[in-house]
Amino acid sequence: MVVSRTREPGLYADGGGLYLQVTHADARSWIFRFMLNGRARSMGLGSLHTLTLAEARNKATECRKLCLDGIDPIEARQRVRSAAQLDAAKAMTFDACAEAYIEAHKKGWRNAKHGDQWRNTLATYASPVFGPLPVQSVDTGLVMRVIEPIWGDKTETATRVRGRIESVLDWAATRGYRQGENPARWRGHLQNLLPKRSKVQRVEHHAALPFVKIGEFVASLRQQNGTSPLALEFTILTAARTGEVIGATWDEMDLAERAWTVPAERMKGCREHRVPLCDRSVEILEHLRAHGDRYVFPGGKRGKALSNMAMLELLKRMGRPDLTTHGFRSTFRDWAAETTRFPSEVVEMALAHIIENKVEAAYRRGDLFQKRRELMDAWAAFVSRAGPAP
């Protein structure tokens, strides 16, 4: 066989299990075919452009010797490659893997601040313990050194740190930088070493205003000047989250239909959410539309949204540092539960809560928009009883 002249597609035997495989004129490679434990296998040795006939014969001889000893040459080669990958991984630190993980996933996160939160928590808690170490060296003992000291008094933070370490280590394993079980895994592993979260975490609710005082509060709020008071009132009237409100843009608003559609990428549950707008909400929007900014609630600089701290600062100026913006969602929920007959699923949908029961979620395909409009109009009427809008 004249190797360099072989162009016709097919398999050409050289002997001893060595074949030249020709797919087409420019795709020619060496393969080694063998039987081991009653199983026929084929192993690629390399391209004809890379290996000469003599070199291919030497490789085939090495493979036959392995077979003679009952060793699968394909598996033997994979073990060598895995060892080489682990050797290379010794230079790949946990910190480097964490940064690579963040860069790989940041486009899928709802906002850039999520990436900053990942960096900050890992830099604060994980990096001082094993950040500079090879990612392969991270074991249960090291993970426990990070998590155990904060599990009792910073349980929420500890839970997030543990989950982020687990994700980074899973990523490193998939990329071939480490092998073995994930030492940050909770189920069946760390759960055996740490008390249940429910046993140590003190539940802290967002400070909420009693619903009987909401009218008085909103009347006072309407005496304030600026964008922040309007944003806070709009937040109260829609029972929305802070991020949903300050990130709202005019293309999400349909004043004719009195509806606000928050896209999935800006929702906590990653699902589009339609919000019915009461008359006062529409009035606020019509007042702000004259500003001509992209954002409904613009910040100090043109083209920038209102700061996520703006409404909290407003509450402090009003002498109510005891309240949180998120707490008004609890005020709304308490009002709906204690003073109205609206079904709980309507209230939960108004709050854009995810339906945990999968069967119930499958049957409830609509968004109960009209019923939610009635609910939010009733809420607006209750909120406005203590005084008219200026």
Side-chain angles (χ1 to χ4, degrees):
M1 174 177 64
V2 181
V3 171
S4 61
R5 297 178 186 175
T6 307
R7 293 286 191 275
E8 190 69 23
L11 274 177
Y12 298 90
D14 181 67
L18 179 63
Y19 290 81
L20 177 66
Q21 179 176 261
V22 180
T23 305
H24 54 77
D26 295 323
R28 296 174 293 171
S29 60
W30 299 105
I31 64 171
F32 175 67
R33 304 179 74 180
F34 62 99
M35 287 283 295
L36 190 64
N37 299 323
R39 182 185 179 192
R41 305 202 69 185
S42 294
M43 176 180 178
L45 300 179
S47 167
L48 178 62
H49 295 297
T50 305
L51 295 178
T52 65
L53 175 58
E55 290 169 333
R57 284 173 174 168
N58 288 336
K59 282 186 170 288
T61 299
E62 293 171 3
C63 291
R64 285 196 299 273
K65 289 179 180 178
L66 290 172
C67 290
L68 187 63
D69 292 332
I71 299 172
D72 188 321
I74 296 176
E75 293 177 1
R77 182 171 63 183
Q78 184 56 48
R79 285 193 293 270
V80 171
R81 288 177 176 175
S82 296
Q85 286 179 332
L86 284 177
D87 286 342
K90 291 179 180 177
M92 191 68 167
T93 66
F94 175 85
D95 280 347
C97 286
E99 184 60 32
Y101 177 93
I102 293 169
E103 286 298 314
H105 289 81
K106 66 180 182 181
K107 290 184 178 179
W109 289 332
R110 288 195 300 274
N111 55 62
K113 291 182 179 178
H114 196 58
D116 292 337
Q117 291 168 350
W118 268 71
R119 287 189 178 91
N120 292 338
T121 53
L122 291 175
T124 301
Y125 298 102
S127 293
V129 177
F130 51 73
L133 297 180
V135 70
Q136 177 63 30
S137 300
V138 179
D139 59 15
T140 302
L142 290 173
V143 173
M144 285 292 288
R145 281 178 56 190
V146 173
I147 303 301
E148 195 169 24
I150 58 174
W151 188 250
D153 58 347
K154 297 180 180 179
T155 313
E156 183 66 32
T157 299
T159 300
R160 290 178 181 173
V161 172
R162 185 209 62 76
R164 289 167 184 174
I165 293 172
E166 181 182 18
S167 295
V168 172
L169 295 181
D170 276 344
W171 177 91
T174 303
R175 293 300 296 265
Y177 295 130
R178 64 173 282 122
Q179 288 183 335
E181 294 292 325
N182 193 321
R185 188 181 76 253
W186 175 255
R187 189 178 297 276
H189 188 57
L190 291 186
Q191 70 174 154
N192 299 320
L193 302 176
L194 294 166
K196 288 183 179 180
R197 178 176 169 179
S198 59
K199 299 293 184 182
V200 296
Q201 183 176 25
R202 188 175 62 188
V203 178
E204 295 183 2
H205 298 288
H206 290 278
L209 186 73
F211 67 84
V212 294
K213 296 184 178 181
I214 189 65
E216 179 184 352
F217 174 82
V218 170
S220 174
L221 178 63
R222 288 172 176 171
Q223 302 305 314
Q224 309 299 312
N225 296 317
T227 303
S228 296
L230 294 174
L232 181 54
E233 185 180 354
F234 186 84
T235 303
I236 294 170
L237 292 170
T238 57
R241 298 180 178 89
T242 300
E244 295 159 11
V245 172
I246 63 175
T249 55
W250 285 108
D251 58 351
E252 298 172 4
M253 302 296 176
D254 187 339
L255 299 190
E257 294 293 327
R258 296 169 64 234
W260 167 32
T261 302
V262 189
E265 59 268 22
R266 292 209 309 105
M267 292 297 300
K268 182 178 180 180
C270 298
R271 293 177 60 182
E272 182 181 277
H273 180 54
R274 287 201 305 159
V275 183
L277 300 175
C278 66
D279 291 340
R280 174 57 181 164
S281 292
V282 172
E283 183 182 336
I284 290 172
L285 295 176
E286 288 177 338
H287 172 75
L288 290 167
R289 190 160 52 175
H291 289 78
D293 199 279
R294 176 193 171 211
Y295 289 101
V296 175
F297 299 99
K301 295 182 179 179
R302 187 167 184 80
K304 296 289 185 180
L306 194 68
S307 165
N308 63 347
M309 294 297 294
M311 288 186 272
L312 282 177
E313 291 299 322
L314 169 65
L315 288 170
K316 291 179 182 178
R317 292 198 301 273
M318 293 177 66
R320 297 308 306 263
D322 56 312
L323 301 179
T324 66
T325 311
H326 195 88
F328 288 105
R329 285 166 56 85
S330 295
T331 303
F332 164 75
R333 182 193 283 171
D334 292 344
W335 164 80
E338 296 189 30
T339 70
T340 79
R341 295 183 178 179
F342 287 98
S344 61
E345 61 264 28
V346 176
V347 179
E348 291 300 299
M349 202 163 278
L351 290 164
H353 283 166
I354 299 296
I355 303 172
E356 297 294 342
N357 187 308
K358 293 183 179 179
V359 175
E360 182 183 357
Y363 278 100
R364 194 191 302 162
R365 298 181 183 277
D367 66 356
L368 305 178
F369 188 76
Q370 188 53 44
K371 291 183 178 180
R372 288 192 290 118
R373 183 179 292 286
E374 295 171 10
L375 170 65
M376 302 317 290
D377 284 345
W379 170 239
F382 181 82
V383 162
S384 299
R385 281 179 188 168

